[in-house]
Amino acid sequence: MTLLRHYINGKWQESASGRVREIRSPHDQHVVVQATEGNLTDVLNAIEAAHTTFESGIFRSWSWQDRQSLLLRIADLIERDADIYAKAESGDTAKRLIEAEYDIADVISVFRFNATLKEPGHSVDIGRLEIESRIAYEPVGVCALIGPWNYPLLQISWKVAPALLAGCSFIVKPSELSPSTAVLLMHTLTEAGVPAGVANLILGAGSEVGTPLTSDPRVDLISFTGGLATGRAIMASAARTVKKVALELGGKNPNIIFADADIDAAIDNAVTAGFLHSGQVCSAGTRLLVEASIHDRVVDELVRRADEITLGGPDNEAAETGPLISEGHLNKVLGYIERAVKEGATLRVGGKRALAPGLEAGWYIEPTVFDGCSTEMASVQEESFGPIITVETFTTEEEAIALGNDTIYGLSGAVWSADLGRCDRVAAGLRHGTIWINDYGPYRPEAEWGGFKASGVGRELGGSGLHEYLEAKHLWRNTSPGRSGWFRDSGHP
């Protein structure tokens, strides 16, 4: 059985504790791989490697063009090994292989896009010929890059690519449930020519190895994608040493359908928005807001479509979506379903663990639709991260906006209408980081991604994603220096 190990200062290492974790398939619980389980000693070693390497200047001294070329080499190598990456991603998460293949293609695009970004910096004209004033950008320093389990390599790539371009050193901490592709990435970075100590990898549980990363004063930035509770803890920990933080903490995303929309397209996209990857998507359209006059038509069809979805493992070519990541997460989602029923929501389809032949050993939940929901319900307000769509109704444009904003989150949302003026008004009124108009779900590495309110701080992707890893420095040069003359000087002639 393969053992995944830490990668620290250019060397593959087992944990100082000697402990090992089994990574089991969410589909049938077979052991996919084993991973070394890190502890504080391992984390401190990784931080020291990253800190020493950054201070040495061995990588941040590279030219911007050389780092751009590095990203292109990384993209080419991942493309060469795309099948290996996709199988590893599918193995850990049990997502369908075709979904993993799409994810790896997106990873390649992320590295290639970042390679196109120009070195930032500009001059400041202050109106004095003897003064040269300019703004330069330098790498922020040592970065802790903490990723989630649902899109393991993709979300890590959103962090690693700009960190490398900026000239930072870093420690990657993938989810303990899906570490395989992060290990492969370290092999790729080394082959591409990243100097030893620049890219480091720590494996293990967040409580064991994630917490020290967020509190050590030698870490200058924390980029985290994951749950709200952990994000709050990271912000509190980072405050003690006044670190930069970039947090993407999920959402409770409204998908708003007006009566004049292309109803067939809206319903089809609603099915995908809510049930892709069994709802384990931070931008999942789990809140469906439907204009009252088309409620029955939309919901009846949504229920019919949800009931037809085929569940299955990564090797089942007929499967349309897969299992939840773990038994603990399955029980959490079932708890949300039970609570929704108690709160008075109407269960229209699904609502229980899927135990059809071939699924019994996995963590599957039937695609679920609740009707008659309101914003007072926990199922509407809290992110279940499972295959649950809640349905609310509205009658006016203003009500749709108010409902869409009635959440602590603000990651994404969508509006469906043939009236483009209405679409623009609703999009402007919604306090969410991404709004799709007559569509749901696509993203591009060229466009910023991130949320308002409790969905996080900072942005990934786009030009703003790079700037998270840079510090601005003002450089003032006087080409004709002289005395300031501010204070009296009796000794000066």
Side-chain angles (χ1 to χ4, degrees), residues 210-226:
T211 301
L213 282 174
T214 67
S215 58
D216 195 291
R218 293 169 295 176
V219 174
D220 302 290
L221 174 142
I222 305 161
S223 179
F224 169 76
T225 301

Side-chain angles (χ1 to χ4, degrees), residues 99-172:
E99 291 184 40
E101 290 169 345
Y102 280 129
D103 293 346
I104 302 307
D106 284 348
V107 169
I108 296 166
S109 295
V110 168
F111 279 98
R112 287 187 174 147
F113 162 70
N114 276 271
T116 70
L117 293 173
K118 305 302 182 185
E119 184 173 11
H122 60 275
S123 297
V124 179
D125 184 0
I126 66 165
R128 291 172 56 185
L129 294 178
E130 78 277 16
I131 299 299
E132 296 175 2
S133 178
R134 64 187 179 91
I135 306 300
Y137 289 86
E138 299 179 356
V140 68
V142 175
C143 306
L145 311 179
I146 306 174
W149 47 258
N150 58 334
Y151 289 92
L153 188 63
L154 181 60
Q155 304 265 221
I156 286 293
S157 74
W158 291 11
K159 308 173 192 303
V160 167
L164 285 171
L165 183 59
C168 297
S169 294
F170 55 85
I171 305 104
V172 169

Side-chain angles (χ1 to χ4, degrees), residues 96 313-320:
R96 297 180 305 150
D315 298 324
N316 181 351
E317 294 185 0
E320 296 171 293

